[in-house]
Amino acid sequence: MEQSVPEVVIRRLPLYARALAFLLEADRAVISSFDLGPMLGITPAQIRKDLSYFGEFGKQGTGYDISFLLGEINQILGLDKNWPMVLIGVGKLGQAIATYDGFQNQGFPLVAALESDPSKIGQSIGNLVVQDYKDLSKIVEEKNVKIGVIAVPATAAHQVIKDLVDAGIESVLNYAPIAVNLPPTVKIRHIDPIVALQSMAYHLNKRI
Amino acid sequence: MEQSVPEVVIRRLPLYARALAFLLEADRAVISSFDLGPMLGITPAQIRKDLSYFGEFGKQGTGYDISFLLGEINQILGLDKNWPMVLIGVGKLGQAIATYDGFQNQGFPLVAALESDPSKIGQSIGNLVVQDYKDLSKIVEEKNVKIGVIAVPATAAHQVIKDLVDAGIESVLNYAPIAVNLPPTVKIRHIDPIVALQSMAYHLNKRI
DNA sequence: GGATGTGAAAGTGTTCACAGCC
DNA sequence: GGCTGTGAACACTTTCACATCC
């Protein structure tokens, strides 16, 4: 049962949740680790091991009840709750983020969009009115925000991350092309297509 | 010297390259692993170990010549070359991708944008004219494309990935919310902010 | 029979610590 | 003195293989 759960395991849980949601949608009721594994490119043993960190969810000889397991994973991840987010930066990228409805739909609604450029403050994007970056702390506190989304230029990103942490943010979704050193209490995930491409380029380059 | 290089190491090289480029921009000439590590949240020992897979680039007592090391890493990753890419899907996300100039600037130019929706074929986005998805293989061959970028809905993504592989694509940058099982000769990287958020939600949820 | 859950084994990746060099 | 490069030690992750249960 529950010991300290490896970070890699936590990163795979969302993939399980998504696959289970898909199967449920397709009216499947039960799935075994042997059938789920190939769908995700993960070995059946790994799926079973991963789930064993949190409990015993399957039935021997049968597999996992999809609806039940999905509910359990959603609860483990906290996806049964809403996690309001604040967006920093409403340039081109920030606007794309603000008008993407996937965040809202998946329980991660943007509740504020902040900018320091005065010419942008007061503008509407999506269903938000752009607010002054200076009000960050106030907004984070008032709306009980734990997640910050960074869509500012690389040059500004380090300062913004510092400010977010000072304001009490505990998780950062970072679209700026930078690396950072944070206290382990603050989690960060980088959305960085260039870095992704560069690591694939290595493999392409090898073949020549 | 060079043995088989762990995949994690290859994924860190782009971060080293970016940091070195930044330092070079700031007119720094030399850096030690002890100074570079904290910038990236990576231990100095790891940086040295990573680089040791490819050769000996530093000077004892001094550190690394930034310009030289950057050049070496760029060469290892193949960033001294251009890697043309083909985009599949020109919906909202596809359009954002097509008009983002970072790909072009970093040596990953989009050379074609494909769609199967006839109403979109012929439209201009960025500096491209949307072409028929049916011509995928032809375009990949003619323009010697090795990288495909997927910006289609989840429901279509599996088929598109199959088609890309059949057309000879070796690397996939996937923006669709799916997981896949591919032969190890084909590399894939997922850009998936929801999955990133969900794994952070776990840590937020734990504290409650 | 067919699948889970899990210790033990194998395999990877990271850190240590120090000889060697500038 | 200061820093690299690297075997060896350690830590973490995955896979195996099997007892257990439906």
Side-chain angles (χ1 to χ4, degrees):
Chain A
M1 273 280 291
E2 176 135 10
Q3 320 156 23
S4 97
V5 183
E7 181 65 25
V8 267
V9 173
I10 291 154
R11 297 211 187 198
R12 277 192 294 266
L13 289 184
L15 304 180
Y16 300 161
R18 184 181 278 161
L20 292 168
F22 171 81
L23 290 165
L24 200 63
E25 200 72 19
D27 283 321
R28 294 279 306 271
V30 168
I31 193 159
S32 72
S33 63
F34 293 91
D35 289 343
L36 184 58
M39 286 180 63
L40 297 168
I42 290 174
T43 64
Q46 182 149 76
I47 293 174
R48 297 200 302 277
K49 188 72 161 183
D50 284 357
L51 295 177
S52 77
Y53 284 100
F54 303 98
E56 309 192 358
F57 305 117
K59 250 202 194 71
Q60 280 103 329
T62 311
Y64 300 92
D65 181 289
I66 292 169
S67 172
F68 170 72
L69 180 57
L70 177 56
E72 292 292 311
I73 292 178
N74 280 342
Q75 217 171 302
I76 292 164
L77 289 173
L79 305 185
D80 50 350
K81 303 183 183 66
N82 248 35
W83 298 101
M85 309 197 295
V86 59
L87 172 68
I88 317 296
V90 294
K92 215 177 117 171
L93 175 60
Q95 290 186 32
I97 292 168
T99 56
Y100 171 56
D101 56 9
F103 292 122
Q104 173 88 261
N105 294 343
Q106 300 286 325
F108 297 93
L110 282 171
V111 297
L114 308 190
E115 252 286 350
S116 48
D117 176 351
S119 75
K120 289 179 180 160
I121 297 170
Q123 284 183 7
S124 284
I125 51 168
N127 49 3
L128 297 173
V129 174
V130 178
Q131 293 174 269
D132 192 335
Y133 180 61
K134 288 199 187 76
D135 297 332
L136 174 63
S137 294
K138 201 186 73 189
I139 293 165
V140 166
E141 192 179 353
E142 275 177 15
K143 306 214 169 171
N144 193 30
V145 177
K146 300 270 181 277
I147 305 177
V149 182
I150 298 191
V152 300
T155 45
H158 271 112
Q159 185 59 49
V160 170
I161 289 179
K162 274 190 65 188
D163 295 343
L164 285 173
V165 173
D166 289 347
I169 287 290
E170 296 168 11
S171 295
V172 177
L173 185 66
N174 173 44
Y175 284 84
I178 55 154
V180 226
N181 211 348
L182 287 175
T185 51
V186 181
K187 304 297 172 191
I188 190 163
R189 300 284 185 272
H190 302 276
I191 304 293
D192 196 331
I194 297 293
V195 159
L197 288 169
Q198 289 177 334
S199 69
M200 288 196 292
Y202 171 83
H203 297 288
L204 295 171
N205 197 42
K206 257 192 329 187
R207 305 201 186 172
I208 301 175
Chain B
M1 271 283 290
E2 176 136 12
Q3 323 156 21
S4 98
V5 183
E7 181 64 26
V8 268
V9 173
I10 291 153
R11 297 208 187 201
R12 279 192 294 265
L13 289 184
L15 305 180
Y16 299 161
R18 185 181 279 161
L20 292 168
F22 171 80
L23 290 165
L24 200 63
E25 200 72 19
D27 283 321
R28 294 278 307 269
V30 167
I31 193 159
S32 73
S33 63
F34 294 91
D35 289 344
L36 183 58
M39 287 181 61
L40 297 168
I42 290 174
T43 64
Q46 181 146 78
I47 292 173
R48 298 199 302 277
K49 187 71 158 184
D50 285 356
L51 295 177
S52 78
Y53 285 100
F54 303 98
E56 309 193 357
F57 305 116
K59 249 202 195 72
Q60 281 102 327
T62 312
Y64 300 91
D65 180 289
I66 291 171
S67 172
F68 171 72
L69 180 56
L70 177 57
E72 292 292 309
I73 293 178
N74 281 342
Q75 215 171 304
I76 292 164
L77 288 172
L79 305 185
D80 50 349
K81 303 184 183 66
N82 247 33
W83 298 101
M85 310 197 294
V86 59
L87 172 68
I88 317 297
V90 294
K92 216 179 116 172
L93 175 61
Q95 289 185 33
I97 292 168
T99 56
Y100 171 55
D101 56 9
F103 293 122
Q104 173 87 260
N105 293 344
Q106 299 287 325
F108 297 93
L110 281 170
V111 297
L114 308 189
E115 253 286 350
S116 47
D117 177 351
S119 75
K120 288 179 181 160
I121 298 170
Q123 284 181 9
S124 284
I125 50 167
N127 49 2
L128 296 173
V129 174
V130 178
Q131 292 175 269
D132 192 335
Y133 180 62
K134 288 198 186 77
D135 296 332
L136 174 63
S137 294
K138 200 187 74 190
I139 293 164
V140 166
E141 191 179 355
E142 275 178 14
K143 306 214 168 169
N144 194 28
V145 177
K146 299 271 183 275
I147 304 176
V149 182
I150 298 191
V152 300
T155 45
H158 270 111
Q159 184 59 49
V160 169
I161 288 179
K162 273 190 65 187
D163 295 343
L164 285 172
V165 173
D166 289 347
I169 288 290
E170 295 167 13
S171 296
V172 176
L173 185 67
N174 173 43
Y175 284 84
I178 55 155
V180 226
N181 211 347
L182 287 175
T185 51
V186 181
K187 303 298 172 191
I188 190 164
R189 299 285 185 271
H190 302 277
I191 304 293
D192 195 331
I194 296 293
V195 159
L197 288 169
Q198 290 177 334
S199 68
M200 289 196 291
Y202 170 84
H203 296 289
L204 296 172
N205 197 42
K206 257 193 327 188
R207 305 201 187 173
I208 301 178

